[in-house]
Amino acid sequence: MKVCEKCKTIFQEVPAQCTDCGGALTTPKTTPAYLKNFLEIDDATLARFQAVRAAAISEAKTLSQPKTRLRAIGISGSARDAGDMAAEDSNSEFLLKQCLDELKSLGADTELLPLRKYSINHCKACYSTTNAQCHFYCSCYPKGTPLADDMTTVLYDKVLAADIIIFATPVNNFKISSLLALFIDRCISLDGSLSPADPNNSKNRELNVKHTKFIQLTADQGIPGSGFLRRFMGKVAGIIVTGHEEGASMAISQLFMTLNHFGMIFPPWSNMYAMSSVTRPTYEDKKLVTSSAYVGEARDIARNTMQTARLLQKFDKLKWGPDNSSN
């Protein structure tokens, strides 16, 4: 890493000279005096940056602690409910329940989370405002305030406590359901996020840019939480989709890429899609989609994710490369 003292630019890949102003590049230091001068901040701001860093390192240590009993949650993205307009239960949620039932029989604590029963507000896309990170807990819907929703007050903590997360969705217009998309969008607050540099003005872009530069200068690859803390890191994922093959492949691919970039781990055969025939009316799908063959696949996902989670108990879940500490 090199920096330009003149325009305050940080370079991870080092050019011959600053590409912004043409100035000479130097090796940065991490002393308080150097950081205050380079970032142009006062003692109180530096102390706040350091406190956020210390809290994230402490949280990372907690997240890395092995558990005596694994916990699995099932995220159901279906809007269908026998007591609502659909007048019948969800096929994808039925298979998710089979998976959770198998996980429970294997010794995991399990919980089903039907997203339709929670109030989840949309992501406000303030990622660039907070400069290379969202905040945790989400600063658009702050926990402990009237603006908080169920994502902030309930679901984030459920995700944090889980070792295994199984995602289930129907195919809606060749994609995952709108409920699951809403949930995934809000999960950005769990990926590489920290407490706000200024809790009273979380969208202060100038301060957030300086905070991010502080993170770049002080992060240590060997110390999880010293940089951006990725809270999904090392959790085991499974995917269940109901719908025809073209849409199912797109839904699974979308979930896989997002969740893998969040840092989740996918065992072999950890996704499935249950489909009927395009020549049959959709109201006849249920007896095929919920048949014993697909139930068996859902239970296989449970066995594969459980086996992987047990193997990971021997390792620090947050120590994965190439760089889980800074961005």
Side-chain angles (χ1 to χ4, degrees):
M1 180 193 299
K2 296 285 185 179
V3 301
C4 176
E5 303 280 356
K6 182 178 179 181
C7 66
K8 310 300 184 183
T9 304
I10 300 173
F11 294 92
Q12 302 289 351
E13 296 182 3
V14 182
Q17 59 187 27
C18 179
T19 56
D20 291 342
C21 71
L25 301 182
T26 60
T27 301
K29 302 175 184 178
T30 58
T31 62
Y34 181 91
L35 291 171
K36 285 191 296 180
N37 179 67
F38 183 84
L39 300 173
E40 299 177 333
I41 57 175
D42 57 19
D43 287 327
T45 302
L46 178 60
R48 173 60 185 170
F49 289 175
Q50 291 170 331
V52 171
R53 182 179 190 268
I57 292 172
S58 178
E59 184 185 351
K61 289 178 180 177
T62 300
L63 294 174
S64 294
Q65 290 177 353
K67 300 177 183 177
T68 56
R69 190 173 177 88
L70 294 171
R71 179 166 182 78
I73 59 174
I75 305 295
S76 172
S78 177
R80 296 177 71 83
D81 194 304
D84 207 341
M85 300 302 292
E88 66 175 32
D89 289 326
S90 160
N91 296 334
S92 59
E93 193 168 300
F94 168 81
L95 293 171
L96 177 58
K97 288 177 180 177
Q98 303 305 306
C99 184
L100 290 175
D101 181 66
E102 184 69 18
L103 282 164
K104 186 175 182 178
S105 73
L106 294 170
D109 293 327
T110 62
E111 184 175 8
L112 173 68
L113 300 173
L115 296 182
R116 65 183 177 278
K117 296 185 178 181
Y118 293 91
S119 174
I120 306 175
N121 293 324
H122 65 275
C123 177
K124 293 186 177 181
C126 66
Y127 187 88
S128 59
T129 302
T130 55
N131 192 54
Q133 58 154 320
C134 278
H135 291 135
F136 185 75
Y137 291 81
C138 177
S139 56
C140 292
Y141 307 101
K143 192 173 186 177
T145 75
L147 295 175
D149 64 353
D150 288 340
M151 195 74 190
T152 305
T153 59
V154 179
L155 294 174
Y156 284 145
D157 289 332
K158 299 285 189 185
V159 171
L160 286 180
D163 304 287
I164 300 168
I165 307 177
I166 311 297
F167 299 84
T169 180
V171 172
N172 291 165
N173 297 312
F174 297 94
K175 60 176 179 55
I176 63 176
S177 71
S178 56
L179 281 173
L180 187 55
L182 188 63
F183 174 84
I184 294 292
D185 284 351
R186 289 289 303 282
C187 280
I188 194 68
S189 282
L190 293 165
D191 181 50
S193 52
L194 302 170
S195 299
D198 182 356
N200 298 316
N201 185 11
S202 62
K203 312 304 179 184
N204 182 338
R205 181 175 296 181
E206 181 181 357
L207 182 62
N208 288 332
V209 168
K210 292 180 179 181
H211 190 199
T212 298
K213 289 184 177 182
F214 169 83
I215 293 164
Q216 289 179 287
L217 292 170
T218 61
D220 184 331
Q221 170 68 18
I223 306 175
S226 66
F228 297 118
L229 180 55
R230 297 183 170 180
R231 293 168 179 83
F232 274 101
M233 188 76 73
K235 295 182 185 294
V236 181
I239 299 172
I240 296 172
V241 174
T242 52
H244 294 297
E245 193 164 30
E246 295 84 353
S249 63
M250 294 177 73
I252 292 170
S253 298
Q254 178 187 0
L255 283 170
F256 173 80
M257 185 168 185
T258 301
L259 299 173
N260 188 252
H261 278 271
F262 279 173
M264 298 197 75
I265 296 170
F266 287 83
W269 299 289
S270 56
N271 73 78
M272 63 168 288
Y273 59 91
M275 58 180 285
S276 181
S277 167
V278 294
T279 63
R280 301 174 65 89
T282 55
Y283 64 81
E284 293 185 358
D285 281 355
K286 184 175 290 291
K287 58 188 175 184
L288 292 176
V289 173
T290 62
S291 66
S292 59
Y294 290 129
V295 168
E297 285 192 44
R299 291 182 177 272
D300 284 340
I301 289 176
R303 288 187 281 270
N304 292 338
T305 53
M306 188 67 171
Q307 178 169 293
T308 303
R310 283 174 173 159
L311 289 171
L312 289 170
Q313 285 183 301
K314 303 175 183 178
F315 302 97
D316 186 334
K317 292 192 296 184
L318 296 185
K319 287 191 175 179
W320 292 86
D323 185 2
N324 57 49
S325 188
S326 63
N327 187 333

